Structures are given as structure tokens and as C-alpha cells.
Amino acid sequence: MVLPAFIDMHAHLDKGHIWPRTPNPDGSFMGALTAVLGDRGTDWSAADIGARMEFALRCAWAHGTRAIRTHLDSDPTGALTGWDVFAEIRADWADRIALQG
């Protein structure tokens, strides 16, 4: 049996996997926004964003995902770091997962 690969049409690769250090206190959309804003202000670096993106992609690959379209943080205080990391990650993963930012 041959099935098509998974495609994730709406991901947040730069914002994922922060729960252990900055959980969403009430599980709401506003709680998530508040958590990301707080975490971004204290913990985000190129190394941190890259590690979280790599983890997300390793998980996606293991479960059969072959294309991901992701939002990236475009806040002027940190946007270039996320976009720069994404460009490197996209090149590294080009033969496994098609990435679109």
C-alpha cells in the first residue's frame, strides 16, 4: 500500500517546544500568546530557536511529514534571528522535508 506523505500546512517552528520552561497557564489562546512573548523576551537565541526547530523537524520526519509551512516571528526585536535560523535549517533539511516560511 502506498500513501501520500503528511503535509503540515500551519506550523510555528520558532515558537514550539517552550512548554517545559514557559507553560501556557490556562490553555487559552491569550495564555499562549503571553507565554510566547515572555519566553521570546528572555530565552530566544539562534541556538535556542535552532534546537527547537531541529527537534520539531526530527519528530515530523519520524512520523512521515515531508512538507511544512511555518509562520515565523517577525517582531523587529528578534525577527532576523528566527528567519536566519530558518534559512539554515531549510537548507539542512532540503533533502528530507520541504520547508516554506
Side-chain angles (χ1 to χ4, degrees):
M1 183 182 291
V2 177
L3 299 171
F6 295 119
I7 297 172
D8 188 338
M9 299 289 292
H10 184 137
H12 298 265
L13 293 177
D14 62 337
K15 295 171 191 68
H17 307 289
I18 64 168
W19 187 277
R21 65 183 188 216
T22 310
N24 179 340
D26 61 8
S28 69
F29 179 69
M30 285 307 298
L33 290 177
T34 301
V36 166
L37 288 173
D39 194 75
R40 183 180 68 204
T42 59
D43 291 313
W44 287 24
S45 66
D48 173 65
I49 295 168
R52 290 184 289 108
M53 284 184 178
E54 284 284 342
F55 177 75
L57 293 173
R58 285 193 313 273
C59 291
W61 176 254
H63 291 282
T65 303
R66 298 302 178 259
I68 298 175
R69 184 172 187 207
T70 182
H71 292 275
L72 292 171
D73 200 326
S74 292
D75 177 66
T77 62
L80 293 178
T81 299
W83 282 98
D84 294 342
V85 171
F86 178 74
E88 292 175 19
I89 298 275
R90 181 172 48 195
D92 291 345
W93 281 82
D95 63 336
R96 293 168 282 175
I97 298 178
L99 295 173
Q100 181 183 47

